Amino acid sequence: NQNAEAAVPSPWLNQGIGGQVAGSADFANNQFTLNSAGIDIGGSFDTFHYIYQPYTGDVELIAKVESIGNTNNLAKAGVMIRETLTTGSKNVFMALTYGSTSLFQRRTLTNGGTSTTSGTSVRAPYWVKLTRQGNTFKAYQSPDGVAWTQVGSSVSITMTANVYVGLAATSKDL
């Protein structure tokens, strides 16, 4: 599914997760642009577009979501840590929706269900962050990238040390 036309700088890669998901990625002026189709990120499987890189160990992943296209009120964009690139992978995802909700989603078992904790009602542009310390994951939101509010509680997920970290988006195009 690697998009050969994508212009993302090394070590970043991008692809559709969950089949032939239409999408593209670009990088200009120190900013990624991610366009994605996809049914959803959630349930027991995901279909979305992902800009990512392999990563080992603890991490803090921060992004400012500038905008989300109006394809569906539940169209989502944000930061993700994923154990594998398979559709039912364990993952954590801190996202904003087009309909102005922040969400902390997590799948704790491969091919298992997804749990969601809603944050406050916010609209892009807004900052999102995920942290990993061992098997403990936390999600945050911020209006300015400085003052952070945790969304939900920390979650413990047994995940391999080698994961994929990056930016995810889905249009929720049913």
Side-chain angles (χ1 to χ4, degrees):
N1 292 353
Q2 185 71 29
N3 183 341
E5 300 176 66
V8 294
S10 180
W12 295 98
L13 303 164
N14 86 96
Q15 73 178 56
I17 303 290
Q20 297 295 326
V21 178
S24 64
D26 193 18
F27 184 80
N29 301 317
N30 206 31
Q31 179 175 312
F32 285 104
T33 301
L34 178 57
N35 295 299
S36 179
I39 296 170
D40 199 5
I41 299 171
S44 61
F45 67 93
D46 307 316
T47 59
F48 68 101
H49 206 81
Y50 196 30
I51 298 173
Y52 65 92
Q53 61 179 276
Y55 195 87
T56 302
D58 294 345
V59 66
E60 180 178 78
L61 186 61
I62 298 172
K64 183 180 183 185
V65 178
E66 287 286 349
S67 65
I68 301 170
N70 182 13
T71 57
N72 185 301
N73 267 350
L74 295 177
K76 309 171 196 175
V79 291
M80 178 179 279
I81 301 171
R82 210 171 168 82
E83 188 172 57
T84 70
L85 298 176
T86 62
T87 188
S89 174
K90 296 177 193 176
N91 73 80
V92 291
F93 181 42
M94 181 61 205
L96 300 180
T97 67
Y98 176 79
S100 72
T101 302
S102 62
L103 301 173
F104 175 34
Q105 294 186 197
R106 58 259 177 219
R107 181 180 300 122
T108 61
L109 300 171
T110 301
N111 298 318
T114 298
S115 299
T116 302
T117 302
S118 296
T120 57
S121 180
V122 297
R123 278 204 173 277
Y126 219 78
W127 293 81
V128 291
K129 174 170 76 171
L130 286 171
T131 62
R132 177 188 190 175
Q133 292 182 313
N135 287 326
T136 301
F137 297 85
K138 295 180 183 177
Y140 301 86
Q141 64 184 38
S142 172
D144 56 13
V146 177
W148 294 95
T149 301
Q150 187 171 340
V151 177
S153 300
S154 63
V155 62
S156 180
I157 304 173
T158 302
M159 220 183 265
T160 60
N162 299 320
V163 295
Y164 299 91
V165 301
L167 309 170
T170 183
S171 64
K172 187 82 170 162
D173 185 11
L174 304 174

